[in-house]
Amino acid sequence: MSHLVLVVNCGSSSIKFGLFDNDAQHPILTAQAEQLNEATPSLTIHQEINGEKTDTVHNLPASSSHRDALQVFIDQTSDHLQHLAGVGHRVVHGGEAFHQSVLLTDAHLDTLAELNDLAPLHNPLNLLGIRLCHEFFPDAPQVAVFDTAFHHSLPESAYLYGVPYNWYEQFHVRRYGFHGTSYRFVAQEAARRLNKPLDQVNFLIAHLGNGCSATAIRHGESVDTSMGLTPLDGMIMGTRSGSIDPGLHQHMQHISHLSLDDISAQLNRASGLKGLSDLSNDMRTLLEAEAAQHEGAQRAVQVYCFRAARELAALNASLSSRDALIFTGGIGEHSGVIRRRILAAWRNEKFRLDDELNARHGDPDTGRISQTGSPLVLVIPTNEESMIAKDTFSLIQSQASHA
Ligand code: ADP
């Protein structure tokens, strides 16, 4: 019986895998190929063997490609993969073409290829993952789940930029928003915990990981979000600048030797926490360095928290009432210190955190970290892979029932 779904997230030098059973909640195994096309690539498989969590590391030959890594993954997990019902892919940009997850056809692949220009760092690799899986599993249905899809409900006032309208009409220049799969998961989970129907809840969600963004959710739908045409916009992130003055590129081109491509690369890879601290993009490292009086770390964390509060306060303008402010993502889920500092930087809202619940990253049932009487603040761990698996199962099942 085919009853497993493989979730694939293909990045520039990595592939993340998750193998899910019917409940789509917890993976049977996960794996991560790293440093692909580089000097020391590897594939690590995490699974429980006889009740014990086990990591198996396979060192791959230098310059191994995405294809090579997929082949090794298949060889190592062939016992499971003979039960494969389908493959679900994370696709970063769905443009205006994709409002929800789709069971992929050849026509979809052509449309996806046309979106490569909108997300040149991500989409070509997502497409590569789809093509490789099609080749390795020719009989398995494939599903694409888009980071942008949840934001298709943005009103025009939120998605248009103040630029010539024909830039939108001709070149599709608009706010798209990202991390949508995470927001969809967290919003559903929060509504469930609050025991309210999704279409009756208003949330502000901060997804703080390596990439950081926030979204205002009204009646269960995204109505404003901090990322824009690309995932560079909005909050300060690990290596990405977040919003900057649109005049910055020209200024830097004039006064430095940098080309437009150089500037863009630096804004994506050498900015954010890493650029400000001149130390690291990793929040754990920065908090340790800050405690040891590292000036760069102090500066980076301070600016990060201020800017996060500023984005959240701006998004809050779209909500006439709010059921909860929710933190998720690696930093949002694990750093009580950063949560506290962001809320303290939002000066006209009187949040009062419960120290003990904040230190425990939320009440075990509800995720609450705020005191009774304070505006409600929750911590809810995201699970994008589970959401992708769920969509994949449900699209495969609906295809089977229509066949
Ligand atoms: P990605 O966006 O790549 O999925 P994550 O959501 O895992 O990344 O978030 C990674 C970030 O979370 C890193 O900056 C990491 O330092 C931070 N992080 C993880 N655990 C902690 C912690 N205990 N305290 C502070 N930051 C943490």
Side-chain angles (χ1 to χ4, degrees):
M1 249 294 271
S2 302
H3 57 92
L4 298 181
V5 155
L6 176 65
V7 171
V8 175
N9 181 353
C10 206
S12 59
S13 61
S14 70
I15 315 180
K16 290 182 191 160
F17 301 97
L19 199 56
F20 288 81
D21 212 336
N22 280 324
D23 75 346
Q25 292 279 345
H26 306 290
I28 296 173
L29 64 80
T30 61
Q32 199 159 358
E34 290 171 300
Q35 305 228 17
L36 299 176
N37 304 309
E38 292 174 20
T40 55
S42 63
L43 173 76
T44 308
I45 301 180
H46 318 274
Q47 60 188 322
E48 272 193 21
I49 300 177
N50 302 327
E52 272 202 27
K53 285 194 175 157
T54 314
D55 288 352
T56 321
V57 182
H58 302 272
N59 292 317
L60 307 178
S63 306
S64 287
S65 64
H66 290 76
R67 172 190 293 275
D68 300 329
L70 182 57
Q71 182 67 63
V72 175
F73 174 77
I74 291 171
D75 293 343
Q76 295 298 323
T77 58
S78 54
D79 286 356
H80 292 297
L81 291 179
Q82 55 180 310
H83 303 294
L84 193 66
V87 185
H89 295 270
R90 175 191 182 207
V91 178
V92 167
H93 218 308
E96 293 196 298
F98 296 103
H99 290 177
Q100 57 196 14
S101 305
V102 290
L103 201 56
L104 287 165
T105 61
D106 289 346
H108 287 136
L109 292 192
D110 293 342
T111 312
L112 266 180
E114 287 165 18
L115 296 175
N116 279 349
D117 283 348
L118 277 175
L121 300 178
H122 297 98
N123 269 41
L125 292 147
N126 302 154
L127 198 52
L128 171 69
I130 293 169
R131 292 197 197 283
L132 287 174
C133 286
H134 191 54
E135 191 182 318
F136 282 103
F137 313 111
D139 298 327
Q142 309 221 30
V143 166
V145 179
F146 302 93
D147 278 22
T148 46
F150 183 63
H151 301 294
H152 83 273
S153 47
L154 290 182
E156 189 181 65
S157 47
Y159 74 67
L160 282 184
Y161 290 120
V163 296
Y165 189 61
N166 77 324
W167 290 15
Y168 167 61
E169 290 181 307
Q170 244 181 299
F171 306 116
H172 311 287
V173 168
R174 53 161 283 178
R175 180 184 303 283
Y176 289 95
F178 298 86
H179 288 141
T181 310
S182 172
Y183 291 123
R184 195 150 59 94
F185 177 88
V186 171
Q188 285 178 12
E189 180 60 19
R192 190 188 67 76
R193 292 186 191 195
L194 297 179
N195 211 8
K196 289 188 174 173
L198 184 62
D199 61 4
Q200 287 175 29
V201 288
N202 299 332
F203 294 138
L204 199 52
I205 307 182
H207 176 113
L208 310 178
N210 278 313
C212 300
S213 74
T215 290
I217 293 181
R218 192 162 68 214
H219 307 316
E221 293 191 331
S222 169
V223 290
D224 195 9
T225 190
S226 64
M227 282 180 171
L229 174 72
T230 71
L232 186 58
D233 202 1
M235 296 179 159
I236 285 178
M237 315 184 207
T239 62
R240 284 174 252 168
S241 61
S243 306
I244 43 154
D245 187 317
L248 179 146
H249 290 76
Q250 198 187 19
H251 176 73
M252 283 302 289
Q253 232 181 346
H254 273 154
I255 63 164
S256 73
H257 60 283
L258 296 173
S259 69
L260 203 51
D261 281 351
D262 292 335
I263 295 167
S264 215
Q266 294 217 15
L267 291 173
N268 273 289
R269 301 199 191 98
S271 297
L273 291 171
K274 186 176 177 197
L276 278 168
S277 67
D278 206 11
L279 178 68
S280 171
N281 63 313
D282 190 288
M283 187 58 91
R284 269 169 304 197
T285 308
L286 292 178
L287 288 172
E288 280 166 25
E290 192 189 29
Q293 312 300 322
H294 186 286
E295 256 183 55
Q298 287 171 338
R299 177 171 57 232
V301 175
Q302 194 168 338
V303 179
Y304 177 90
C305 293
F306 170 78
R307 285 282 302 277
R310 188 176 191 261
E311 291 288 342
L312 286 165
L315 293 164
N316 200 47
S318 287
L319 304 179
S320 50
S321 67
R322 190 180 66 227
D323 293 284
L325 165 64
I326 307 169
F327 286 99
T328 193
I331 299 171
E333 292 166 26
H334 298 117
S335 180
V337 176
I338 295 294
R339 291 191 294 260
R340 176 173 291 291
R341 284 169 66 169
I342 291 174
L343 297 183
W346 185 348
R347 289 171 190 261
N348 68 344
E349 279 256 4
K350 299 293 169 222
F351 296 103
R352 290 188 311 283
L353 292 187
D354 179 311
D355 286 339
E356 199 196 317
L357 290 179
N358 190 36
R360 288 163 57 197
H361 311 303
D363 172 84
D365 293 328
T366 59
R368 182 172 62 85
I369 57 170
S370 50
Q371 296 175 18
T372 313
S374 156
L376 184 62
V377 187
L378 305 176
V379 173
I380 298 196
T382 192
N383 194 340
E384 289 157 286
E385 290 76 18
S386 153
M387 201 76 231
I388 296 173
K390 229 185 248 175
D391 280 5
T392 307
F393 276 116
S394 87
L395 282 167
I396 293 172
Q397 273 157 11
S398 70
Q399 183 200 37
S401 63
H402 286 103

